[in-house]
Amino acid sequence: MLLHHFSDLPYEAGTDEAGRGCIAGPVTAAAVILPPDFSNEILNDSKQLSAKNRYALRTIIEDQALSYGVTHLHEAVIEELNILHAAIKAMHESVYKLTPLPDFLLVDGNKFTPIPNIPHQCIVKGDTKYLSIAAASVLAKTYRDDYMNQIHEEFPMYNWKQNKGYPTQEHREAIVKYGACKYHRKSFKLLPDQLKLEL
């Protein structure tokens, strides 16, 4: 069973991001404040859920959460800040979309820049331990997947519907064949050394 609260404060939010390991598309973060009586047997780290369950849970989370926020940060910001700082900025922006602002914040992972006046705790593998982080992971993942499905229509040759921008062999072969597009993160290693790409 996932834990409900870390702090004793009334408005505790969880935050998580999706897409850090991708070579195309945004990094997407979400923050969620769940009501004190929230429970769900299926909710877990979004990576451990089927797509069908993730989308079913998204509806439940959006219906029942006291507040939630989701933020996409795109390639230009990732290039400017680097992926870690872009992921943290996306989490910050998602937290600022919450009403009320939380009294306490649970952050998935081990790196975070504090938000003024909101104490936080980093939790490694937090999306497998706390409901609010798991809820944020579901929102971040599904909103990012929706975005990748949408831009797939614009650039179907990379098959983002299937790989969501991760560097699969098929995705890399498409980059060799067609080159990179505006959604690729140019500062990332798009191809292994043996496959050179002229950008």
Side-chain angles (χ1 to χ4, degrees):
M1 279 294 287
L2 301 192
L3 300 168
H4 205 293
H5 255 58
F6 178 92
S7 72
D8 296 328
L9 297 163
Y11 295 115
E12 182 177 284
T15 187
D16 196 5
E17 49 71 30
R20 253 177 79 176
C22 295
I23 57 172
V27 63
T28 303
V32 182
I33 301 174
L34 293 172
D37 57 349
F38 182 88
S39 69
N40 187 287
E41 295 299 314
I42 306 168
L43 182 56
N44 203 330
D45 166 20
S46 64
K47 292 184 284 297
Q48 298 180 23
L49 298 166
S50 67
K52 185 180 170 194
N53 278 345
R54 278 198 296 268
Y55 280 95
L57 281 164
R58 177 165 109 180
T59 304
I60 292 166
I61 292 161
E62 291 183 347
D63 283 349
Q64 296 185 21
L66 297 179
S67 188
Y68 65 90
V70 182
T71 304
H72 296 299
L73 286 186
H74 296 281
E75 303 71 33
V77 180
I78 293 168
E79 304 293 329
E80 182 193 342
L81 297 180
N82 83 32
I83 186 62
L84 173 64
H85 290 111
I88 291 171
K89 181 177 168 65
M91 289 196 256
H92 279 211
E93 290 192 11
S94 298
V95 170
Y96 280 122
K97 290 175 181 174
L98 299 174
T99 310
L101 281 177
D103 305 309
F104 195 86
L105 184 62
L106 292 180
V107 181
D108 185 58
N110 61 358
K111 289 192 170 63
F112 193 67
T113 309
I115 296 176
N117 305 318
I118 303 176
H120 76 273
Q121 178 68 42
C122 288
I123 312 259
V124 174
K125 294 194 171 19
D127 45 12
T128 63
K129 296 173 184 169
Y130 285 90
L131 285 167
S132 62
I133 300 180
S137 84
V138 166
L139 294 191
K141 173 82 177 122
T142 53
Y143 274 85
R144 188 178 188 283
D145 285 357
D146 286 352
Y147 183 88
M148 295 309 292
N149 289 339
Q150 191 184 321
I151 64 172
H152 168 93
E153 304 301 326
E154 199 178 340
F155 292 98
M157 65 281 253
Y158 304 111
N159 201 14
W160 289 326
K161 261 188 164 47
Q162 294 303 314
N163 62 54
K164 299 297 183 281
Y166 282 92
T168 59
Q169 186 172 352
E170 178 195 30
H171 186 181
R172 285 183 156 145
E173 284 169 0
I175 294 170
V176 171
K177 188 170 177 184
Y178 301 104
C181 76
K182 64 182 180 181
Y183 296 113
H184 282 101
R185 302 173 183 176
K186 305 295 190 294
S187 62
F188 276 53
K189 194 168 193 176
L190 298 182
L191 297 172
D193 287 337
Q194 64 269 29
L195 295 172
K196 283 287 178 243
L197 173 68
E198 297 307 316
L199 282 179

